[in-house]
Amino acid sequence: MSDKELELTQSKRKALYLLLLAAAVFIITFFLPKSDTVDMLRVISEASVVGALADWFAVYALFKPIAIPFISAHTAIIPRNKDNIADSLSIFVRDKFLDVDSIANLIAKHDPAGGISEWLVKPENAERLGDHLVKVMVGTIDFIDDQPIEKLIVQSLHELIDQLDPSKSAGTLLETLTTNNRHQELLDEMINQVTNLLQRPENQELLANLLVQLLKEEFPVFEKILPSEWIGKKGVGTIVGAIHKLLNAVTTDENHSFRKEFDSYLNLFIQKLKEDIDFIAKGHEIKEHIKQDEPLKAYAKDILITLRAWLINDLNRIDSIVRQKIMVMGHRLGESIAQDADLRESINQHLLASARSMAPDFSEFLTRHIRDTIKNWDAQEMSHQIEINIGKDLQFIRINGTIVGGLIGFILYAVPYSISYVLAKIV
């Protein structure tokens, strides 16, 4: 027997003993010599018994049926109304605790971003976060290591690949990248990189050596007569200068013909990626190659096995690198949030927006869960659990009913008696 059940039993006994005491006094008064005091005790005890029995009926009828004609239909109130209680409780929780405004006000009031930062900056909490995430990662790795799960993942990847169109996707991606002439900025950066590479002495020396080597291979006779080393250096200098002049012209002229040709080629390439049958077919070939190529699958699996083994070994060590990185990242995140008021405000606003968006669905889910859970309970067991938790207080209703009934009995006896006494004195 649990503590609550024991307390309920003791409360029931107290109420019963008080009822038996009142009943005993009532019975004893019939065997005592008749007097005003005995009459008063009889009225008081009788009223106490009536009050105790009435409140016993009220409390008992909440949880158990009472087989009395015309009355039994309104007993066992809690078991009979289990479904109504489920509906009412779920609606109450939804309307009073899970409505959008209540959740939004809760977020706005408690500054969750500030609370997160305060929690993360404490070293023990960062360590706790690392421990929890490591446990999650270990469990996830064990989950993925299961053969049926691995098969499901591969199957899901294949389905995902089947839904992709590499050619059209690449075309769409390139089209997005070229919006607002972003590709021209990329072209400028490429030109700058090429210019920097050509201006480096070591690269010019490499090109000169390649030019000399070409002269030796293609024109061996002239190479012996002409100063090949001098020609190599001068030739490379001339070539680099010409290229630099061309690239500089392209960089400074937004309407340069090279830029227009670059635009035309890129637009044509994007169009082919999205519409050309040969390009689309090639994309499908790439998909099938990725799915069916055994060396590729074996290589990917070997990488996965190696990565998994390293992770498991690292996560099971006391000085885990991953765990330390998580702790450092968590601590730094907390410091960043604490030091940046704009960041805290931004996080809170995003949380607020997310709460407003998700609150209706979450509220509906939790409401349905509460309602269905209660409806699936056994009616008698539910009634028993409610009685265990609040029955102790309900038994005081019986005790109070006995006492209040006695007081009412005393008043009902004392008032007429006092009036009769006063009238007798007057007469």
Side-chain angles (χ1 to χ4, degrees):
M1 181 180 292
S2 66
D3 292 340
K4 289 185 177 181
E5 288 178 318
L6 182 60
E7 290 176 355
L8 175 61
T9 301
Q10 292 174 347
S11 297
K12 285 182 176 181
R13 286 175 181 172
K14 291 177 182 178
L16 177 61
Y17 293 157
L18 192 57
L19 169 61
L20 293 177
L21 176 61
V25 172
F26 177 69
I27 294 172
I28 291 172
T29 57
F30 286 95
F31 299 95
L32 295 176
K34 187 174 179 60
S35 67
D36 292 339
T37 302
V38 171
D39 291 341
M40 183 179 66
L41 288 175
R42 182 181 301 160
V43 173
I44 293 174
S45 60
E46 180 180 10
S48 295
V49 171
V50 172
L53 290 176
D55 286 338
W56 168 85
F57 178 88
V59 172
Y60 191 88
L62 286 173
F63 305 101
K64 303 283 178 26
I66 299 176
I68 299 177
F70 306 109
I71 296 178
S72 60
H74 298 285
T75 60
I77 294 172
I78 291 177
R80 289 176 185 273
N81 292 275
K82 177 173 68 73
D83 291 348
N84 292 333
I85 292 173
D87 293 333
S88 300
L89 180 60
S90 61
I91 293 173
F92 175 78
V93 172
R94 182 194 66 191
D95 294 344
K96 301 301 181 182
F97 296 96
L98 300 177
D99 61 294
V100 175
D101 290 337
S102 295
I103 295 176
N105 290 336
L106 183 67
I107 292 175
K109 180 180 179 181
H110 288 89
D111 182 23
I116 292 172
S117 66
E118 290 179 7
W119 191 86
L120 285 175
V121 293
K122 295 179 180 178
E124 62 272 19
N125 291 332
E127 185 176 350
R128 189 178 295 115
L129 175 65
D131 291 338
H132 286 311
L133 290 182
V134 164
K135 290 178 182 178
V136 171
M137 293 176 69
V138 171
T140 303
I141 292 173
D142 291 339
F143 177 77
I144 296 176
D145 193 38
D146 189 65
Q147 291 299 322
I149 300 300
E150 185 177 321
K151 183 178 178 181
L152 176 63
I153 293 175
V154 172
Q155 182 180 350
S156 300
L157 287 174
H158 283 183
E159 291 177 356
L160 179 62
I161 292 173
D162 287 335
Q163 295 174 5
L164 294 175
D165 189 331
S167 181
K168 290 184 178 180
S169 299
T172 303
L173 178 61
L174 282 176
E175 189 174 39
T176 302
L177 292 175
T178 57
T179 304
N180 298 325
N181 285 329
R182 295 191 186 100
H183 60 293
Q184 292 294 344
E185 296 177 6
L186 178 62
L187 177 62
D188 289 338
E189 183 61 28
M190 291 171 58
I191 290 174
N192 289 333
Q193 292 298 326
V194 171
T195 301
N196 292 334
L197 287 173
L198 290 175
Q199 289 178 344
R200 291 179 181 176
E202 61 271 22
N203 292 333
Q204 292 186 10
E205 183 178 355
L206 177 62
L207 290 174
N209 292 334
L210 290 174
L211 183 58
V212 171
Q213 186 66 29
L214 179 64
L215 288 173
K216 289 181 180 180
E217 293 177 356
E218 299 294 332
F219 308 99
V221 177
F222 291 101
E223 189 274 332
K224 293 179 181 179
I225 300 173
L226 298 173
S228 56
E229 298 293 336
W230 181 83
I231 292 175
K233 291 181 179 180
K234 289 296 182 181
V236 167
T238 302
I239 293 172
V240 169
I243 294 175
H244 179 72
K245 183 177 180 181
L246 172 63
L247 295 180
N248 185 61
V250 174
T251 302
T252 56
D253 186 2
E254 295 182 356
N255 297 315
H256 196 279
S257 59
F258 185 83
R259 289 185 181 276
K260 294 180 179 179
E261 290 179 8
F262 181 63
D263 282 342
S264 299
Y265 172 78
L266 198 56
N267 290 331
L268 180 62
F269 184 63
I270 291 173
Q271 199 69 21
K272 285 185 176 182
L273 283 173
K274 296 173 68 175
E275 299 178 0
D276 190 276
I277 297 177
D278 293 334
F279 274 81
I280 295 174
K282 190 64 178 178
H284 289 300
E285 288 181 15
I286 293 173
K287 287 198 306 183
E288 293 302 318
H289 176 73
I290 293 174
K291 289 168 55 180
Q292 305 300 333
D293 187 69
E294 292 300 328
L296 183 61
K297 289 194 290 186
Y299 177 70
K301 187 173 183 179
D302 183 61
I303 291 177
L304 181 62
I305 292 173
T306 303
L307 178 61
R308 181 188 295 157
W310 180 86
L311 275 174
I312 292 175
N313 179 62
D314 180 80
L315 294 174
N316 288 326
R317 293 171 53 186
I318 298 177
D319 58 342
S320 168
I321 297 175
V322 174
R323 179 174 175 273
Q324 292 176 1
K325 293 296 182 183
I326 293 173
M327 290 169 55
V328 172
M329 289 173 60
H331 186 73
R332 287 179 178 173
L333 177 62
E335 288 182 336
S336 299
I337 297 174
Q339 296 169 3
D340 192 335
D342 292 336
L343 178 59
R344 289 198 304 275
E345 179 64 22
S346 177
I347 292 174
N348 286 334
Q349 290 301 320
H350 280 87
L351 289 174
L352 186 60
S354 299
R356 289 188 177 278
S357 175
M358 297 171 59
D361 293 334
F362 176 73
S363 173
E364 179 60 29
F365 166 77
L366 196 57
T367 300
R368 185 170 59 252
H369 174 67
I370 293 172
R371 181 178 63 247
D372 294 344
T373 300
I374 295 177
K375 286 185 176 181
N376 288 330
W377 284 349
D378 177 75
Q380 298 303 322
E381 178 60 23
M382 171 187 163
S383 177
H384 178 64
Q385 290 299 324
I386 294 176
E387 185 178 12
I388 288 175
N389 285 277
I390 66 172
K392 176 184 176 182
D393 294 325
L394 291 177
Q395 298 308 311
F396 282 100
I397 294 177
R398 295 173 57 190
I399 294 173
N400 293 335
T402 306
I403 297 172
V404 171
L407 291 174
I408 292 174
F410 172 76
I411 293 172
L412 291 176
Y413 180 85
V415 170
Y417 180 84
S418 298
I419 293 174
S420 300
Y421 180 80
V422 171
L423 292 176
K425 289 292 185 180
I426 295 175
V427 174

